[in-house]
Amino acid sequence: MKKTVLVLGSTGSIGTQTLEVLKKLEDQFTLLGISADHDSEKLRDQAREFQPKYIACREKADPAFYPSGTELMTGEKASEQLAGIKADITVLAISGFAALKPLLAAIGNGGRIAIANKESLVCGGELVQTALERYRAHLVPIDSEQSALFQCLQNGRREEVKRLILTASGGPFFRKTREELKNVSLDEALAHPTWKMGKKITLDSATLFNKGLEVIEASRLFGFGADQIGVLIHPQSIVHSMVEYKDSSVIANLAVPDMRLPIQYALTYPERVPSLTNPLDLGTAHDLQFYPADESRFGALKLAFDALRTEGGCPIVYNGANERAAELFFDHQISFLQIEDCVKAALDAYLPHAISSIDDIMEADAFSRRAVSAYVERLR
Ligand code: MG
């Protein structure tokens, strides 16, 4: 029996690569549904090629451009509606905080969620955890670092783990001084040395907010606290992360940087099958370098560890403020280093308190965005 798969966010970078993997493994998987924000040529092409039973589109879509016999869902809640369809695997490749409600809808169906979205985990916190247990759903990470940790953690029991070591490419600027970072342009921030990704995550890689979110994400996924998570700069992105065990043994996961590999593993786990990714040939001039990730230089990391230690909604504010600041940077309203200032300002203005419902999460998120806007207003 083929496994059924839903791909939420099918036209983005991860979504597109997921469809490539599904095409290669078509004898094992059937694409049951896809979702996207826009009624784009890409979504129409995917619909024609894969003929999924369900298509969800946030904006109004013209059924004439979609195969007859497919069910077209549209509107603000289209992704959530699609996530509510029962499937063996739901791939969550929507970007940003917007993925939280679709994640909760997918969890409600039980089964496996192959998750590429970190913001929903960072913000969902305990609410997501409780829902996972209640509906017997489980998460398999797609994010390359989390996939690496997930694989490395299979080499020992959790009480044997000393710490998780997330690697970070350091982005395009990791050799620059604070002074040099002041006048970094939008184009420079969007030129990532090793990974080709969506715009927001590429910026987050340059600011290191992506790694900050991953620190919190790793804590959510694997249940280790801030003191058992470390970050190491590794510009080549060959070692995708490591787990250090109590006996001082370090298990690492290495592969050519290619998202199709962790995507495939999240689909086929616990099996391994041949992939589209080139083999790693360490015999041909691979110089693997590692540097400490200095929290005093990378403010985004310090803020993430602080938010994780404090909890009380701080991770939600960390994420929301960064999303809002990124929009302002894309809009040329603030400079590169001001992204960090905005997030710090929002966290400073926030009073941590217990988060026990989705409304609490939405409220903390809205607060963070307002706080950033207010901070930027004051700068003028
Ligand atoms: Mg990553």
Side-chain angles (χ1 to χ4, degrees), residues 134-187:
R134 179 163 167 209
Y135 297 104
R136 294 171 186 279
H138 70 282
L139 303 175
V140 180
I142 282 181
D143 191 3
S144 60
E145 293 83 354
Q146 313 296 351
S147 174
L149 292 175
F150 181 74
Q151 295 177 57
C152 295
L153 283 167
Q154 288 164 41
N155 290 277
R157 294 197 307 274
R158 61 165 296 123
E159 57 273 23
E160 295 170 339
V161 172
K162 193 195 257 171
R163 60 185 187 127
L164 312 180
I165 305 165
L166 282 161
T167 53
S169 71
F173 307 139
F174 99 98
R175 287 175 205 278
K176 284 200 194 303
T177 62
R178 293 293 288 189
E179 197 50 39
E180 289 168 329
L181 284 177
K182 271 189 185 156
N183 298 312
V184 156
S185 73
L186 180 57
D187 288 342

Coordinates of all heavy atoms in Angstrom, one line a residue, residues 134-187:
R134 N -1.9 13.7 23.0 CA -3.3 13.4 23.0 C -3.7 12.6 21.7 O -4.5 11.7 21.8 CB -4.1 14.7 23.1 CG -5.5 14.5 23.1 CD -6.2 15.8 23.6 NE -7.6 15.7 23.3 CZ -8.4 16.7 23.1 NH1 -7.9 17.9 23.2 NH2 -9.7 16.6 22.8
Y135 N -3.2 13.1 20.6 CA -3.7 12.5 19.3 C -2.7 11.4 18.8 O -2.8 11.0 17.6 CB -3.9 13.6 18.3 CG -5.0 14.5 18.7 CD1 -4.7 15.8 19.1 CD2 -6.4 14.1 18.6 CE1 -5.7 16.6 19.5 CE2 -7.4 15.0 19.0 CZ -7.0 16.2 19.4 OH -8.0 17.1 19.8
R136 N -1.7 11.1 19.5 CA -0.7 10.1 19.1 C -0.1 10.4 17.8 O 0.1 9.6 16.9 CB -1.3 8.7 19.1 CG -1.7 8.2 20.4 CD -2.5 6.9 20.3 NE -3.0 6.5 21.6 CZ -2.2 5.9 22.5 NH1 -1.0 5.5 22.3 NH2 -2.8 5.5 23.7
A137 N 0.2 11.7 17.6 CA 0.9 12.1 16.3 C 2.4 12.2 16.6 O 2.7 12.4 17.8 CB 0.3 13.5 15.9
H138 N 3.2 12.1 15.7 CA 4.6 12.3 15.9 C 5.3 13.2 14.9 O 4.9 13.2 13.7 CB 5.4 11.0 16.2 CG 5.5 10.2 14.9 ND1 4.5 9.5 14.4 CD2 6.6 10.0 14.1 CE1 4.9 8.9 13.3 NE2 6.2 9.2 13.1
L139 N 6.3 13.9 15.3 CA 7.0 14.8 14.4 C 8.3 14.2 13.9 O 9.0 13.6 14.7 CB 7.3 16.1 15.1 CG 6.2 16.9 15.7 CD1 6.7 18.1 16.5 CD2 5.2 17.4 14.7
V140 N 8.6 14.3 12.6 CA 9.9 14.0 12.1 C 10.5 15.2 11.5 O 9.8 15.8 10.6 CB 9.9 12.8 11.1 CG1 11.3 12.5 10.6 CG2 9.3 11.6 11.8
P141 N 11.6 15.8 11.9 CA 12.0 17.0 11.4 C 12.6 17.0 10.0 O 13.3 16.0 9.6 CB 13.2 17.5 12.4 CG 13.6 16.2 13.0 CD 12.4 15.3 13.0
I142 N 12.4 18.0 9.2 CA 13.0 18.2 7.9 C 14.2 19.1 7.9 O 15.2 18.9 7.2 CB 11.9 18.7 6.9 CG1 11.0 17.5 6.5 CG2 12.6 19.3 5.7 CD1 9.9 17.9 5.5
D143 N 14.1 20.1 8.8 CA 15.2 21.1 8.9 C 16.5 20.3 9.0 O 16.6 19.3 9.7 CB 15.0 21.9 10.2 CG 15.9 23.1 10.3 OD1 16.6 23.3 9.4 OD2 15.8 23.8 11.3
S144 N 17.5 20.7 8.2 CA 18.7 19.8 8.1 C 19.4 19.6 9.4 O 19.8 18.4 9.7 CB 19.7 20.4 7.1 OG 20.1 21.7 7.5
E145 N 19.5 20.6 10.3 CA 20.1 20.4 11.6 C 19.3 19.5 12.5 O 19.9 18.7 13.2 CB 20.4 21.8 12.3 CG 21.3 22.7 11.6 CD 20.7 23.5 10.4 OE1 19.6 23.2 10.1 OE2 21.4 24.3 9.9
Q146 N 18.0 19.7 12.5 CA 17.2 18.9 13.4 C 17.1 17.5 12.9 O 17.1 16.5 13.7 CB 15.7 19.5 13.5 CG 15.7 21.0 13.7 CD 16.2 21.5 15.0 OE1 16.6 20.6 15.9 NE2 16.3 22.8 15.2
S147 N 17.1 17.3 11.6 CA 17.2 15.9 11.0 C 18.5 15.2 11.5 O 18.5 14.1 11.8 CB 17.1 16.0 9.5 OG 17.2 14.7 8.9
A148 N 19.5 16.0 11.4 CA 20.8 15.5 11.9 C 20.8 15.0 13.3 O 21.2 13.9 13.7 CB 22.0 16.5 11.6
L149 N 20.2 15.9 14.2 CA 20.1 15.6 15.6 C 19.2 14.4 15.8 O 19.6 13.5 16.6 CB 19.6 16.8 16.4 CG 20.4 18.0 16.5 CD1 19.7 19.1 17.2 CD2 21.8 17.7 17.2
F150 N 18.1 14.3 15.1 CA 17.2 13.2 15.1 C 17.9 11.9 14.8 O 17.8 10.9 15.5 CB 16.1 13.5 14.1 CG 15.0 12.4 14.1 CD1 14.1 12.3 15.1 CD2 14.9 11.6 13.0 CE1 13.0 11.4 15.0 CE2 13.9 10.6 12.9 CZ 13.0 10.5 13.9
Q151 N 18.8 11.9 13.8 CA 19.5 10.7 13.4 C 20.6 10.4 14.4 O 20.8 9.2 14.7 CB 20.1 10.9 12.0 CG 19.0 11.1 10.9 CD 19.6 11.3 9.5 OE1 20.4 10.6 9.0 NE2 19.2 12.5 8.9
C152 N 21.3 11.4 14.9 CA 22.4 11.2 15.8 C 21.8 10.6 17.2 O 22.5 9.8 17.8 CB 23.2 12.4 16.1 SG 24.1 13.0 14.6
L153 N 20.6 11.1 17.5 CA 20.0 10.7 18.8 C 19.6 9.2 18.8 O 19.4 8.6 19.8 CB 18.8 11.5 19.1 CG 19.1 12.9 19.7 CD1 17.9 13.8 19.7 CD2 19.7 12.8 21.1
Q154 N 19.6 8.6 17.6 CA 19.3 7.2 17.6 C 20.5 6.3 18.0 O 20.3 5.0 18.0 CB 18.8 6.8 16.1 CG 17.4 7.4 15.9 CD 17.1 7.4 14.4 OE1 17.3 6.4 13.7 NE2 16.5 8.5 14.0
N155 N 21.6 6.9 18.3 CA 22.8 6.1 18.7 C 22.9 5.9 20.2 O 23.9 5.4 20.7 CB 24.0 6.8 18.2 CG 24.1 6.6 16.7 OD1 24.5 5.6 16.2 ND2 23.6 7.6 16.0
G156 N 21.9 6.4 21.0 CA 22.0 6.2 22.4 C 20.7 6.6 23.1 O 19.8 7.1 22.4
R157 N 20.6 6.3 24.4 CA 19.4 6.7 25.1 C 19.5 8.1 25.6 O 20.6 8.7 25.7 CB 19.3 5.8 26.4 CG 19.0 4.3 26.1 CD 18.5 3.6 27.3 NE 19.3 3.8 28.5 CZ 20.4 3.0 28.8 NH1 20.8 2.1 28.0 NH2 21.1 3.3 29.8
R158 N 18.3 8.7 25.8 CA 18.3 10.2 26.0 C 19.1 10.5 27.3 O 19.7 11.6 27.4 CB 16.9 10.8 26.0 CG 15.9 10.3 26.9 CD 14.7 11.3 27.0 NE 15.1 12.6 27.5 CZ 14.9 13.7 26.9 NH1 14.4 13.8 25.8 NH2 15.3 14.8 27.5
E159 N 19.0 9.6 28.3 CA 19.7 10.0 29.6 C 21.2 9.8 29.4 O 22.0 10.2 30.2 CB 19.2 9.1 30.7 CG 19.3 7.6 30.5 CD 18.1 7.0 29.8 OE1 17.3 7.7 29.1 OE2 17.8 5.8 30.0
E160 N 21.7 9.3 28.2 CA 23.1 9.2 27.9 C 23.6 10.4 27.2 O 24.8 10.6 27.0 CB 23.4 8.0 27.1 CG 23.1 6.7 27.8 CD 23.1 5.4 26.9 OE1 23.0 5.6 25.6 OE2 23.3 4.3 27.4
V161 N 22.7 11.3 26.8 CA 23.1 12.5 26.1 C 23.7 13.6 27.0 O 23.1 13.9 28.0 CB 21.9 13.1 25.3 CG1 22.2 14.4 24.6 CG2 21.4 12.1 24.3
K162 N 24.9 14.1 26.6 CA 25.4 15.3 27.3 C 24.9 16.5 26.7 O 24.3 17.4 27.4 CB 26.9 15.2 27.2 CG 27.6 16.2 28.2 CD 29.0 16.4 27.9 CE 30.0 15.7 28.8 NZ 31.4 15.8 28.3
R163 N 25.0 16.7 25.4 CA 24.4 17.9 24.8 C 24.3 17.8 23.3 O 24.9 16.9 22.6 CB 25.3 19.2 25.1 CG 26.7 19.0 24.6 CD 27.5 20.2 25.0 NE 28.8 20.1 24.3 CZ 29.3 21.1 23.6 NH1 28.7 22.3 23.5 NH2 30.5 20.9 23.0
L164 N 23.4 18.6 22.8 CA 23.1 18.7 21.3 C 24.0 19.8 20.8 O 24.1 20.9 21.4 CB 21.7 19.0 21.0 CG 20.6 18.2 21.8 CD1 19.2 18.7 21.4 CD2 20.7 16.7 21.5
I165 N 24.7 19.6 19.7 CA 25.5 20.6 19.1 C 25.0 21.0 17.7 O 25.1 20.2 16.8 CB 27.0 20.2 19.0 CG1 27.5 19.8 20.4 CG2 27.8 21.4 18.4 CD1 28.8 19.0 20.3
L166 N 24.3 22.1 17.6 CA 23.8 22.6 16.3 C 24.9 23.3 15.6 O 25.6 24.1 16.1 CB 22.7 23.6 16.6 CG 21.3 23.1 17.0 CD1 20.5 24.2 17.6 CD2 20.6 22.5 15.8
T167 N 25.1 22.9 14.3 CA 26.1 23.6 13.5 C 25.3 24.8 12.8 O 24.2 24.7 12.4 CB 26.8 22.7 12.5 OG1 25.8 22.0 11.7 CG2 27.7 21.8 13.2
A168 N 26.1 25.8 12.5 CA 25.6 27.0 11.8 C 26.6 27.4 10.8 O 27.8 27.4 11.0 CB 25.4 28.2 12.8
S169 N 26.1 27.7 9.6 CA 27.1 28.1 8.5 C 27.7 29.4 8.9 O 28.7 29.8 8.5 CB 26.4 28.2 7.2 OG 25.5 29.3 7.2
G170 N 26.9 30.2 9.7 CA 27.4 31.5 10.1 C 26.9 32.6 9.1 O 27.0 33.8 9.3
G171 N 26.3 32.1 8.0 CA 25.7 33.0 7.0 C 26.8 33.7 6.2 O 28.0 33.5 6.4
P172 N 26.4 34.7 5.4 CA 27.4 35.4 4.5 C 28.4 36.3 5.3 O 29.4 36.8 4.8 CB 26.6 36.2 3.5 CG 25.2 36.3 4.2 CD 25.1 35.1 5.1
F173 N 28.0 36.7 6.6 CA 28.7 37.8 7.3 C 29.5 37.3 8.5 O 29.9 38.2 9.3 CB 27.7 38.8 7.7 CG 26.8 39.3 6.7 CD1 25.5 39.5 6.9 CD2 27.3 39.6 5.4 CE1 24.6 40.0 6.0 CE2 26.5 40.0 4.4 CZ 25.1 40.2 4.7
F174 N 29.8 36.0 8.6 CA 30.3 35.7 10.0 C 31.7 36.2 10.2 O 32.1 36.2 11.3 CB 30.1 34.2 10.2 CG 31.3 33.3 10.0 CD1 32.1 32.9 11.0 CD2 31.6 32.9 8.7 CE1 33.2 32.1 10.8 CE2 32.7 32.1 8.5 CZ 33.6 31.8 9.5
R175 N 32.4 36.6 9.2 CA 33.7 37.2 9.4 C 33.7 38.7 9.5 O 34.7 39.3 9.8 CB 34.7 36.8 8.2 CG 35.1 35.3 8.2 CD 35.9 35.0 7.0 NE 35.8 33.6 6.7 CZ 36.6 32.6 7.3 NH1 37.5 33.0 8.2 NH2 36.4 31.3 7.0
K176 N 32.5 39.3 9.4 CA 32.5 40.7 9.5 C 32.4 41.2 10.9 O 31.9 40.5 11.8 CB 31.2 41.2 8.7 CG 31.3 41.2 7.2 CD 30.2 42.2 6.7 CE 30.0 42.0 5.2 NZ 31.1 42.2 4.3
T177 N 32.9 42.4 11.2 CA 32.8 43.0 12.5 C 31.5 43.7 12.6 O 30.8 44.0 11.6 CB 33.9 44.1 12.7 OG1 33.7 45.1 11.7 CG2 35.3 43.5 12.5
R178 N 31.1 44.1 13.8 CA 29.8 44.8 14.0 C 29.8 46.1 13.2 O 28.8 46.4 12.6 CB 29.6 45.2 15.5 CG 29.5 44.2 16.5 CD 28.2 43.4 16.4 NE 27.0 44.1 16.8 CZ 25.8 43.4 17.0 NH1 25.7 42.1 16.7 NH2 24.7 44.1 17.3
E179 N 30.9 46.8 13.2 CA 31.1 48.0 12.4 C 30.7 47.8 10.9 O 30.0 48.5 10.3 CB 32.5 48.6 12.6 CG 32.7 50.0 12.2 CD 31.7 51.0 12.9 OE1 31.3 50.8 14.1 OE2 31.3 51.9 12.2
E180 N 31.3 46.7 10.4 CA 31.1 46.4 9.0 C 29.7 45.9 8.7 O 29.2 46.1 7.5 CB 32.1 45.2 8.5 CG 33.5 45.7 8.5 CD 34.5 44.5 8.3 OE1 34.2 43.4 8.8 OE2 35.5 44.7 7.7
L181 N 29.0 45.4 9.7 CA 27.6 45.0 9.5 C 26.6 46.1 9.4 O 25.5 45.9 8.9 CB 27.2 44.0 10.7 CG 27.8 42.6 10.6 CD1 27.4 41.9 11.9 CD2 27.3 41.9 9.4
K182 N 27.0 47.3 9.8 CA 26.1 48.4 9.9 C 25.5 48.7 8.5 O 24.3 49.1 8.5 CB 26.8 49.7 10.4 CG 26.8 49.8 11.9 CD 27.3 51.1 12.4 CE 27.4 51.2 13.9 NZ 28.4 52.1 14.4
N183 N 26.3 48.6 7.5 CA 25.7 49.1 6.2 C 25.5 48.0 5.2 O 25.5 48.2 4.0 CB 26.7 50.1 5.6 CG 26.7 51.4 6.5 OD1 25.7 51.9 6.9 ND2 28.0 51.8 6.8
V184 N 25.2 46.8 5.7 CA 25.0 45.6 4.9 C 23.7 45.8 4.1 O 22.7 46.3 4.7 CB 24.9 44.4 5.8 CG1 24.1 43.3 5.1 CG2 26.3 43.9 6.1
S185 N 23.7 45.6 2.8 CA 22.5 45.8 2.0 C 21.6 44.6 2.0 O 22.0 43.5 2.4 CB 22.9 46.2 0.6 OG 23.4 45.0 -0.1
L186 N 20.4 44.8 1.5 CA 19.4 43.7 1.3 C 20.0 42.6 0.4 O 19.9 41.4 0.8 CB 18.1 44.3 0.8 CG 16.9 43.3 0.5 CD1 16.5 42.6 1.8 CD2 15.7 44.1 0.0
D187 N 20.5 43.0 -0.7 CA 21.1 41.9 -1.6 C 22.2 41.1 -1.0 O 22.3 39.9 -1.2 CB 21.6 42.6 -2.9 CG 20.5 43.1 -3.8 OD1 19.4 42.6 -3.6 OD2 20.8 44.0 -4.6

